[in-house]
Amino acid sequence: MRKLIITLLPLLLTALSASAQIFIPSDPIGTQATYTTTWKDGKSSTEQLTLHRVKGNNVWSSVPGGSDEIPISEIVLPDGVYYSMDELRTLVRQKMTGKAAKLAKVEINCLSGDRFRMLPLQGTPGQTFPDQTLDVKAKVKLLGLLNLHLTITMEGDKILRRETRKTPLGEVSTIVRSYTMVSKTDVKVMGKREEEVEREEITQWIIPGRGLYREEKRKGKELSVKELTDFKRP
């Protein structure tokens, strides 16, 4: 039971809080963006993303070669970056391999429409955005029938202020966004029910019209900081 939650929750949260990275359709194919994530204990990791052309769309991915294996495409509109529900379902199907794929039947819906807003690309201080909720239901044939209901909600989504920041793209004016990611799990198995709620406070520095520069995540005493540390065009 716990393994399924551990599989689904990070997968969806990673997709949703990866936060669209750097997106500009006019950037040449082969452009590379490097993000560095640092944790409270001082440990860090880097992720290098390359702009590929896949099925007519520009997609940032760490998958080498730009093949059709790239798991998800984003919808880039003037006001923001979105994931379509179809693409998010595809991501989950591709990532749930082995026993999880054979045992679990998963249904994913967005309660606010057919797409989920990842990252606003425009905004003014004081502006607010509607709450969004992903609703995930899973049935698992394991020791009888296990039913999992998971909701992931972006709430309190707003633009706080503007800040000028020095970035690999030069000195730019950013908009600062904050929201709370609330994850609720409700599991029933063999007549026993377990419920859990987790809250993560997220602050983002966004380059208007382009994408994410910096992101801070706080969950209890845990803190991680993700920042664009390099940007190269071919």
Side-chain angles (χ1 to χ4, degrees):
M1 175 173 62
R2 192 66 185 170
K3 286 184 178 180
L4 178 65
I5 298 173
I6 291 172
T7 299
L8 277 176
L9 187 57
L11 173 60
L12 290 168
L13 290 180
T14 297
L16 296 175
S17 62
S19 303
Q21 317 298 351
I22 293 290
F23 286 91
I24 281 291
S26 60
D27 282 334
I29 301 302
T31 297
Q32 294 182 334
T34 301
Y35 283 88
T36 300
T37 301
T38 305
W39 288 271
K40 186 178 179 180
D41 61 4
K43 294 181 180 179
S44 64
S45 66
T46 60
E47 179 185 22
Q48 186 179 77
L49 301 160
T50 302
L51 186 63
H52 302 290
R53 189 74 173 169
V54 179
K55 296 181 179 179
N57 297 312
N58 286 6
V59 178
W60 289 96
S61 177
S62 57
V63 176
S67 71
D68 289 346
E69 294 177 0
I70 292 176
I72 194 163
S73 297
E74 295 78 14
I75 303 169
V76 184
L77 300 177
D79 67 328
V81 181
Y82 299 80
Y83 279 160
S84 74
M85 286 299 96
D86 286 343
E87 293 289 354
L88 195 57
R89 293 181 189 108
T90 298
L91 172 64
V92 172
R93 284 197 300 269
Q94 290 181 347
K95 292 297 183 180
M96 287 186 65
T97 57
K99 290 184 178 179
K102 294 179 180 179
L103 295 175
K105 180 180 179 180
V106 181
E107 177 184 340
I108 305 174
N109 293 294
C110 179
L111 301 186
S112 54
D114 62 355
R115 63 190 184 196
F116 195 95
R117 183 187 62 256
M118 285 292 304
L119 194 76
L121 294 179
Q122 305 292 340
T124 57
Q127 182 176 353
T128 61
F129 302 94
D131 291 353
Q132 304 179 103
T133 299
L134 275 182
D135 187 75
V136 183
K137 296 177 181 178
K139 291 185 178 181
V140 185
K141 296 178 181 178
L142 181 65
L143 299 176
L145 182 63
L146 179 152
N147 288 281
L148 167 67
H149 187 194
L150 167 66
T151 60
I152 301 174
T153 302
M154 280 185 178
E155 62 180 37
D157 196 349
K158 58 188 175 182
I159 304 297
L160 300 177
R161 60 187 179 274
R162 291 186 180 274
E163 281 188 13
T164 299
R165 289 272 180 158
K166 291 183 179 180
T167 78
L169 294 164
E171 189 171 88
V172 298
S173 176
T174 66
I175 54 175
V176 184
R177 173 205 193 191
S178 74
Y179 63 91
T180 302
M181 185 77 83
V182 182
S183 306
K184 298 180 180 179
T185 56
D186 184 349
V187 182
K188 295 179 183 178
V189 59
M190 299 181 68
K192 185 178 179 181
R193 183 173 183 177
E194 293 184 16
E195 296 178 281
E196 185 176 2
V197 178
E198 292 187 349
R199 301 177 67 89
E200 189 171 42
E201 305 296 330
I202 299 175
T203 305
Q204 298 171 327
W205 284 255
I206 300 165
I207 303 172
R210 174 166 283 277
L212 180 71
Y213 162 60
R214 179 183 172 92
E215 179 177 74
E216 295 180 359
K217 295 183 181 180
R218 291 180 173 83
K219 183 188 293 184
K221 294 183 179 180
E222 298 178 12
L223 170 67
S224 66
V225 178
K226 179 178 182 177
E227 188 170 286
L228 179 71
T229 50
D230 196 16
F231 188 82
K232 296 178 181 178
R233 295 183 177 91

